[in-house]
């Protein structure tokens, strides 16, 4: 098995470690030919500029003369009637130029979302603490922020709804219920030899991108606009700004060179910042920048959707699930945003890696008086998978079986038991061999026996282990978004420039696309550059989301480069009297059966002969289709797979926990850039670990988010990393025709962290032998202590 190994991983006190010397060094993979870029661990295209402080983010851009700054006026009440706002004290503050309120909106006062249910500024009612009522505009950001806090909204409070269970009881929803059913779950449950019931609460998660939400709006001539936006979806920002200003989309140009992180939090909700900045710029006739400080960012923007679950499962003596009824309550906040597709994907991934023969899943999209929850890495997939993993862990304990054996018993098959509950055939199944390989490489069985012996003699510290799989579908579930465009230019000196519709947020999308184009044209990687994502160059682009950035934009750029290559091949064939198919591109040269010429030289000749040296490229994902009313069909082009084996320890006197060791085997197809892929696996796993352990969002009884700063909201730090974190890549290309044989890697590794939660539940079970495990997520020390019986509810 060819492996790409995390060279930063350390090994401490584990059983039977593989021989590190037998592994190739990181970056030792070769591509398709001499000097190939694809398959190499190229550094991130902006890495040198970033470490030197030379990579510009929006707040680093030189400001136009006369630029003003805006800050939001926030609701201090979770739910109430808005009777007005007194801005007199704000207007009298130093440096203040004015305010922007709902009456200043020239276009539609409601954001151009799919559900059309979110006002740009609160009007008659406020729906959550932190809802934006208006803006204060001043000469500096700090003057605007100080003055915004002097504004006094007049609000008559109403009772807030703060949990999805309360919303469900009151039938408060942002969207209608969705139900997916297969087989006869009622009959299957009635016939099952064993049945269990349970419930689970899973919290949300703050995106905590390093660069906060920011937009810089510049009015141009003839009622045209340029918007610098830290966004995953420039096209949507363009649409929203035009809609709010009451102008056509062609009058708005949106640019994004890079973001300092996104994780889904800038897929839709960067749009509000841009709209607010543009409205202020329009009113005051000058450029306006709006950058939220961290506390306001927490209070204004949405999070990962919290979920609540109730379930009943039927199973046989081997742990095989024979029937399942699951209710999912998604906490959507005050408006729909992306809650529909998030909750849909939670349904799609409620099977994770397991065949469910007779199942019904009911999904309720609950309206609460909180921030409008939004996209976050995994996009509902983690919320679907955690439920089935919890269920299988409980089934194993009820039967006294190894949880891994129960998981393996329920895996999708090949040729049988291979159709999902939404009627998609699983055609690329590698689950069984992947799990078997990780089971052997991690020495799971031996370690489980060792831990049992440890727990028998350790009254306070209990240890647990779990090995869990991931099967994650790749494509936007909204089929129309599975398209992309790109533009490739070859200049007369032979240098190459790319522009495409995807956005860079640190994940390495631009770097991978540069590698793909370099190989398509046979030129050195260093001869390729990329430019800022711009709606004026590639229009109507989809969000960089759903882990599909490279799949879509990489293929579009490859097709654009291929068009140029075909033009040059035909030109060289004419020079040398051969067929175009006999002309090849590699090593910076263009070769025919008669001649070998430098790429740069051929480009000059081609230009002199009026050969087109630029091209667009367009790609749309094949094979996908599904009925959104029944949630059946083939919503995904392929699946990405993976598995993680995690060992943890808990202190039964304090509830503290520690992740000790992690072994990951993950499927990225043929890696375009192993270093970037391993980085995504590392980061995704650690971010998922944070969601399930330390990152707790707490709203008080008045609906105010109490954990709104790094002092109270705890993302994983370096000290939380396990002593051993080993990552291997599964050595098989994508079975579908995807760019360079690769697979998506942005979101699937996040769900590998479910092994952490299941290992914690395993450790809790060791402290309460023979008793059910009641542990919600995140598994904070308080929750762990309560689960082991050391803290009353």
């Amino acid at each position: 098995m060819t492996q790409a190994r995390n060279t930063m991983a350390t090994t401490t006190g584990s059983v039977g470690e593989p021989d590190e010397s037998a592994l190739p060094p990181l970056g030792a993979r070769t591509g398709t030919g001499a000097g190939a870029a694809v398959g190499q661990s190229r550094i991130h295209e902006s890495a040198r500029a970033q470490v030197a402080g030379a990579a510009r983010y929006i707040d680093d851009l030189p400001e136009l003369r006369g630029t003003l700054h805006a800050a939001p006026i926030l609701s201090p009440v979770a739910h109430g009637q808005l009777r007005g706002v007194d801005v007199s004290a704000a207007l009298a503050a130093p440096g203040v130029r004015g305010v922007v309120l709902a009456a200043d909106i020239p276009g539609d006062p409601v954001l151009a979302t799919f559900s059309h249910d979110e006002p740009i500024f609160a009007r008659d009612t406020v729906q959550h603490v932190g809802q934006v009522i208006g803006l204060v505009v001043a000469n500096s950001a700090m003057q605007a922020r100080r003055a915004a806090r002097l504004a006094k909204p007049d609000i008559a409070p109403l009772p807030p709804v703060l949990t999805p269970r309360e919303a469900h009881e009151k039938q408060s929803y942002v969207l209608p219920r969705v139900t997916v059913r297969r087989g006869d779950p009622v009959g299957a449950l009635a016939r099952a030899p064993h049945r269990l019931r349970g419930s689970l609460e899973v919290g949300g998660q703050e995106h905590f991108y390093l660069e906060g939400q920011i937009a810089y709006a510049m009015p141009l001539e003839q009622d045209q606009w340029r918007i610098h936006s830290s966004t995953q979806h420039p096209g949507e920002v363009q649409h929203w700004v035009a809609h709010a200003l009451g102008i056509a989309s062609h009058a708005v140009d949106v640019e994004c060179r890079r973001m300092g992180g996104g994780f889904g939090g800038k897929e839709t909700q960067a749009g509000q910042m841009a709209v607010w900045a543009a409205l202020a710029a329009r009113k005051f006739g000058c450029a306006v920048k709006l950058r939220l400080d961290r506390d306001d960012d927490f209070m204004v923007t949405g999070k990962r959707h919290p979920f609540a679950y109730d379930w009943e499962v039927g199973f046989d003596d081997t742990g095989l699930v024979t029937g399942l009824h699951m209710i999912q309550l998604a906490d959507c906040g005050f408006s729909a945003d992306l809650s529909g597709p998030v909750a849909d994907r939670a349904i799609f991934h409620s099977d994770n890696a397991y065949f469910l023969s007779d199942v019904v899943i009911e999904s309720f999209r609950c309206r609460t008086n909180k921030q409008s929850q939004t996209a976050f890495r995994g996009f509902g997939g983690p919320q679907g998978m955690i439920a089935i993993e919890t269920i299988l862990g409980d089934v194993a304990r009820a039967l006294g079986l190894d949880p891994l054996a129960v998981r393996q018993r329920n895996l999708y098959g090949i040729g049988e038991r291979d159709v999902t509950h939404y009627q998609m055939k699983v055609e690329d199944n590698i689950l069984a061999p992947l799990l078997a390989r990780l089971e052997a490489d991690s020495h799971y069985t031996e370690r489980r026996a060792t831990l049992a012996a440890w727990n028998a003699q350790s009254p306070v510290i209990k240890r647990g282990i779990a090995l869990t799989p991931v099967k994650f579908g790749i494509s936007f579930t909204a089929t129309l978004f599975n398209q992309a465009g790109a533009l490739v230019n070859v200049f007369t000196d032979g240098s190459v420039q790319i522009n495409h519709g995807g956005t860079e947020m640190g994940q390495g999308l631009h770097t991978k696309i540069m590698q793909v184009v370099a190989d398509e044209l046979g030129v050195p990687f260093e001869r390729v550059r990329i430019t800022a994502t711009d709606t004026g160059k590639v229009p109507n682009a989809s969000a960089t989301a759903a882990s599909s950035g490279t799949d879509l934009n990489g293929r579009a750029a490859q097709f654009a480069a291929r068009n140029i290559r075909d033009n040059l091949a035909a030109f060289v064939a004419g020079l040398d009297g051969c067929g175009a198919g006999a002309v090849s591109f590699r090593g910076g040269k263009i070769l025919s059966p008669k001649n070998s010429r430098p790429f740069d030289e051929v480009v000059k000749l081609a230009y002199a002969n009026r050969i087109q040296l630029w091209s667009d490229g367009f790609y749309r994902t094949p094979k996908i289709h599904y009925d959104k009313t029944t949630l059946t069909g083939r919503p995904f082009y392929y699946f990405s797979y993976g598995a993680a084996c995690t060992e943890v320890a808990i202190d039964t006197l304090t509830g503290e926990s520690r992740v000790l060791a992690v072994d990951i085997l993950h499927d990225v197809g043929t890696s375009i850039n192993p270093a970037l892929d391993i980085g995504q696996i590392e980061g995704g796993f650690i971010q998922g670990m944070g969601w399930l352990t330390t990152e707790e969002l707490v709203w008080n009884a008045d609906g105010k988010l109490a954990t709104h700063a790094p002092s109270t909201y705890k993302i994983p730090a370096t000290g939380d990393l396990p002593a051993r974190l080993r990552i291997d890549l599964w050595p098989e290309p994508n079975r579908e025709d995807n760019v360079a044989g690769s697979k998506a890697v942005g979101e699937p590794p996040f769900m590998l962290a479910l092994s952490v939660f299941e290992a914690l539940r395993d450790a809790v079970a060791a402290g309460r032998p023979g008793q059910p495990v009641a542990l919600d997520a995140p598994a904070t020390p308080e929750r762990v202590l309560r689960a082991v019986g050391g803290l009353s509810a």
Side-chain angles (χ1 to χ4, degrees):
M1 172 181 175
T2 302
Q3 297 170 313
R5 182 67 45 108
N6 174 8
T7 57
M8 296 179 64
T10 59
T11 303
T12 56
S14 56
V15 181
E17 291 301 321
D19 179 9
E20 296 281 354
S21 64
L23 300 169
L26 191 65
R29 288 187 175 196
T30 58
T32 55
V38 168
Q40 300 288 340
S41 289
R42 298 280 179 174
I43 67 168
H44 191 286
E45 54 90 22
S46 294
R48 290 189 175 92
Q50 286 168 321
V51 298
R56 287 183 173 179
Y57 296 84
I58 291 174
D59 211 29
D60 300 317
L61 298 176
E63 294 178 1
L64 296 178
R65 180 180 299 175
T67 292
L68 299 179
H69 299 263
I73 301 169
L74 305 182
S75 169
V77 176
H79 188 203
Q81 294 179 341
L82 178 62
R83 297 183 294 211
V85 55
D86 179 1
V87 296
S88 57
L91 290 172
V96 171
R97 304 289 288 273
V99 297
V100 183
L101 299 170
D104 296 310
I105 301 171
D108 190 338
V110 179
L111 288 169
T113 62
F114 284 111
S115 298
H116 203 247
D117 63 347
E118 184 174 342
I120 293 173
F121 296 124
R123 294 179 291 173
D124 301 326
T125 61
V126 293
Q127 299 286 344
H128 71 92
V129 175
Q131 186 172 5
V132 176
I133 296 171
L135 306 172
V136 171
V137 180
N139 293 328
S140 74
M142 291 310 299
Q143 288 174 332
R145 289 172 184 172
R146 292 189 187 105
R149 284 156 174 76
L150 299 176
K152 303 295 182 185
D154 180 12
I155 300 171
L158 295 170
V161 176
L162 299 176
T163 70
R165 292 194 183 277
E166 182 184 1
H168 185 46
E169 182 180 339
K170 295 182 177 181
Q171 297 191 24
S172 172
Y173 308 114
V174 298
L175 294 166
R177 175 179 71 175
V178 172
T179 301
V180 172
R181 181 187 307 269
R182 176 164 68 179
D184 177 19
V186 174
L189 285 167
R191 295 188 297 271
H194 307 278
R195 290 164 69 174
L196 279 178
R197 289 183 177 180
S199 62
L200 179 67
E201 309 283 330
V202 176
Q205 187 176 25
E206 166 64 30
H207 300 88
F208 219 107
Y209 21 64
L210 290 179
E211 178 199 32
Q213 296 277 6
I214 184 171
Y216 188 19
M218 302 175 178
L220 306 176
E221 62 175 89
Q222 301 179 64
D223 202 21
Q224 296 181 76
W225 293 81
R226 185 153 195 84
I227 311 291
H228 290 278
S229 175
S230 181
T231 176
Q232 295 173 236
H233 198 176
E236 185 164 74
V237 170
Q238 177 192 39
H239 174 52
W240 283 20
V241 168
H243 188 77
L245 295 178
I247 58 179
S249 292
H250 69 195
V252 180
D253 189 39
V254 179
E255 178 180 318
C256 178
R257 176 57 179 88
R258 61 176 61 85
M259 289 166 275
F263 309 117
K266 297 176 181 177
E267 182 172 347
T268 59
Q269 299 202 358
Q272 284 93 323
M273 313 303 139
V275 167
W276 295 332
L279 289 170
R282 180 186 180 276
K283 179 171 182 177
F284 293 96
C286 62
V288 171
K289 183 190 290 185
L290 190 156
R291 175 172 60 84
L292 296 183
D293 71 12
R294 184 65 65 178
D295 290 85
D296 285 352
D297 204 321
F298 265 84
M299 302 303 290
V300 171
T301 63
K303 326 296 177 194
R304 181 184 298 280
H305 289 66
F307 266 58
Y309 312 82
D310 295 306
W311 50 266
E312 183 176 14
V313 63
F315 52 98
D316 67 15
D317 293 341
T318 68
L320 180 70
V321 171
T322 57
L324 176 63
H325 179 198
M326 185 188 299
I327 295 173
Q328 299 180 351
L329 307 178
D331 183 345
C332 302
F334 83 97
S335 68
D337 193 85
L338 292 171
S339 294
V342 166
D344 288 351
R345 189 175 273 266
I347 293 173
F348 287 139
H349 288 82
S350 293
D351 60 342
N352 189 11
Y354 313 112
F355 177 76
L356 303 174
S357 59
D358 296 86
V359 58
V360 57
I361 300 169
E362 299 178 77
S363 172
F364 295 88
R365 293 90 196 273
C366 301
R367 185 191 304 274
T368 59
N369 292 115
K370 296 178 182 175
Q371 297 87 338
S372 187
Q373 316 300 6
T374 191
F376 200 128
R377 196 175 200 166
F379 201 80
Q383 293 97 316
M385 291 184 189
I386 193 172
I388 192 65
E389 293 299 339
T390 299
I391 290 168
L392 291 184
D394 287 350
V395 166
R397 278 181 284 276
L399 294 172
L401 298 175
D402 183 335
L404 177 58
V406 171
R407 290 184 167 95
Q408 290 171 320
R409 178 72 178 91
N410 284 280
L411 290 176
Y412 277 102
I414 297 175
E416 59 178 2
R417 295 170 47 85
D418 61 355
V419 177
T420 68
H421 54 295
Y422 48 91
Q423 304 304 313
M424 177 175 172
K425 186 178 179 65
V426 181
E427 299 174 337
D428 54 0
N429 186 356
I430 58 171
L431 286 162
L434 189 147
L435 261 66
R437 178 61 188 259
L438 183 60
E439 180 184 7
D441 286 355
S442 66
H443 303 277
Y444 169 86
T445 303
E446 300 95 311
R447 289 165 65 191
R448 189 162 189 85
T450 300
L451 264 58
W454 164 280
N455 289 329
Q457 57 81 39
S458 176
V460 175
I461 305 300
K462 299 294 183 182
R463 293 165 72 180
I465 191 170
L467 197 162
T468 60
V470 167
K471 173 184 70 66
F472 189 78
I474 303 300
S475 289
F476 286 97
T477 52
T479 305
L480 76 161
F481 292 138
N482 294 286
Q483 58 176 302
L487 176 66
V488 174
N489 302 319
V490 176
F491 296 98
T492 54
D493 64 353
S495 62
V496 181
Q497 184 188 79
I498 308 167
N499 190 273
H500 62 89
T503 53
E504 176 64 50
M505 61 198 89
Q507 81 278 40
L509 171 64
H510 286 348
T511 308
K512 286 186 173 183
I513 291 178
M514 289 166 65
Q515 290 176 269
V516 169
V517 169
D519 277 6
E520 194 68 26
L521 295 174
V523 299
F525 176 79
E526 293 73 19
R527 295 290 281 164
V528 181
R529 282 291 181 94
I530 208 146
T531 58
T533 307
D534 190 325
T535 56
K537 293 184 178 178
V538 177
N540 310 319
S542 299
T544 303
S547 301
S548 61
T550 302
D551 289 6
L552 295 174
N553 299 287
R555 197 59 135 180
Q558 184 181 42
F559 287 171
R562 187 169 296 171
N563 291 338
I564 299 169
R565 188 190 67 185
D566 290 346
N567 290 346
L568 293 173
F571 173 63
V572 169
L575 294 176
D576 292 351
C578 64
V583 178
S584 60
F585 296 68
R586 61 180 182 272
K589 296 182 181 298
I590 300 180
L591 301 94
S592 76
K594 294 183 179 179
N595 284 296
S596 172
R597 299 179 178 89
F599 180 86
D600 300 357
E601 179 184 307
V602 174
V603 166
K604 288 189 179 86
L605 285 172
Y607 173 74
N609 283 272
R610 296 179 295 174
I611 303 298
Q612 182 176 328
L613 296 174
W614 61 270
S615 180
D616 64 322
F618 179 78
Y619 174 72
R620 62 178 185 177
T621 309
K623 297 186 176 182
I624 54 174
H625 60 88
Y626 92 106
D627 184 337
K628 61 185 299 183
T629 60
T630 62
L631 262 64
T632 59
R634 179 176 177 157
F636 308 120
Y637 186 32
Y638 62 86
F639 293 102
S640 287
Y641 300 93
C645 178
T646 296
E647 182 179 335
V648 303
I650 64 170
D651 186 326
T652 59
L653 299 182
T654 66
E656 293 173 278
S657 65
R658 188 82 181 158
V659 178
L660 303 176
V662 178
D663 297 274
I664 291 172
L665 180 56
H666 196 70
D667 164 37
V668 299
T670 299
S671 177
I672 293 174
N673 188 314
L676 291 179
D677 287 345
I678 289 172
Q680 286 293 293
I681 296 167
E682 284 178 333
F685 178 86
I686 296 300
Q687 191 173 54
M689 184 180 81
W691 171 53
L692 296 169
T693 57
T694 62
E695 297 187 44
E696 184 177 26
L697 292 164
V698 179
W699 283 267
N700 66 20
D702 296 324
K704 181 177 180 180
L705 180 64
T707 50
H708 56 80
S711 58
T712 50
Y713 184 82
K714 298 300 183 181
I715 64 173
T718 53
D720 297 307
L721 296 177
R724 186 180 81 234
L725 175 56
R726 171 170 290 121
I727 298 170
D728 292 337
L729 302 182
W730 182 257
E732 183 180 344
N734 194 334
R735 297 182 190 178
E736 296 292 347
D737 180 20
N738 204 45
V739 59
S742 66
K743 283 191 175 184
V745 72
E747 292 174 296
F750 184 94
M751 279 72 74
L752 296 170
L754 294 173
S755 61
V756 174
F757 189 63
E758 283 304 294
L760 288 169
R761 284 168 26 91
D762 190 56
V764 169
R768 295 170 59 91
Q771 299 183 57
V773 174
L775 180 64
D776 293 327
T780 59
E782 294 87 349
R783 289 196 175 98
V784 171
L785 190 57
R786 187 175 293 119
V788 297
L791 184 66
S792 59

